[in-house]
Amino acid sequence: MKKKVAVLISGRGSNMQALVEAAAKPDYPAEVCAVISNKADAKGLVFAAAKKIPTHVLDHKTFESRDAFDTALHDLIKKTGAEFVCLAGFMRLLTPGFTRKWEGKMINIHPSLLPLFKGAHAQRDAIEAGAKESGCTVHFVVAEMDSGPIIAQAKVPVLPGDTEETLSARILKEEHTLYPAALAKLARGEVRM
Ligand code: GAR
């Protein structure tokens, strides 16, 4: 039986799309049972809906606190039947109470070789630091941002003349392979926090 996974997005959703496409293969150990966005206009919602995946919008602006949002988010994920959660460009900090509930069951992809370049501008920061290589990381989510145990990484070179856009594109291509591979390991029980 495939493990049910909820994918959380805030925007384009290309990593979510890569997960959905991988999960469509019969021998893949997980299926995407829901796509949840904190933004109603997230482009990824269109793709998910077209694939007949249940989509949900939980607008953080309609909640009075982070705790209230995270409680509603937890309840919603539970209702979808998901056993695992993938953050895929979900640009919200999560409260420790929430991350504790999903410890070992929630993973994230980040566009740098963690622990280097945490935060929302990882590719730009890598270029500005003069890094010769960068890449992407899939890791377990813990309370501290971009800090949980690492499951998998892929490297790319930073080339002379790279801009934030060119480096982001090179990394993103790797993300689309790395994330499905890491989720498969988790769903098969091959990695544990
Ligand atoms: C991806 O590059 C992902 O690694 C990054 O946002 C992008 C989302 O793209 N995530 C972070 O920076 C998290 N700190 P997508 O919506 O097309 O998957």
Side-chain angles (χ1 to χ4, degrees), residues 11-15 88-89 91 108-111 119 123 146 172 175:
R12 180 177 55 191
S14 70
N15 277 291
M91 297 311 229
N108 178 47
I109 188 153
H110 182 76
Q123 303 95 330
D146 299 332
L172 192 65
E175 293 185 42

Side-chain angles (χ1 to χ4, degrees), residues 99-173:
T99 56
R100 213 175 302 123
K101 284 185 198 140
W102 290 97
E103 200 172 88
K105 303 275 182 190
M106 178 162 60
I107 61 178
N108 178 47
I109 188 153
H110 182 76
S112 76
L113 297 174
L114 290 173
L116 294 174
F117 311 119
K118 298 175 181 181
H121 304 286
Q123 303 95 330
R124 190 174 76 196
D125 293 345
I127 291 173
E128 284 176 1
K132 291 281 177 283
E133 62 177 13
S134 190
C136 48
T137 303
V138 178
H139 63 95
F140 285 107
V141 176
V142 297
E144 200 187 327
M145 186 189 68
D146 299 332
S147 294
I150 290 169
I151 298 170
Q153 290 186 312
K155 287 182 185 172
V156 304
V158 180
L159 300 175
D162 257 344
T163 62
E164 187 177 354
E165 287 69 34
T166 57
L167 179 59
S168 297
R170 194 174 307 122
I171 293 172
L172 192 65
K173 198 161 172 275

Side-chain angles (χ1 to χ4, degrees), residues 28 79 82 91 126 169 193:
Y28 193 80
K79 264 191 216 141
M91 297 311 229
M193 189 165 141

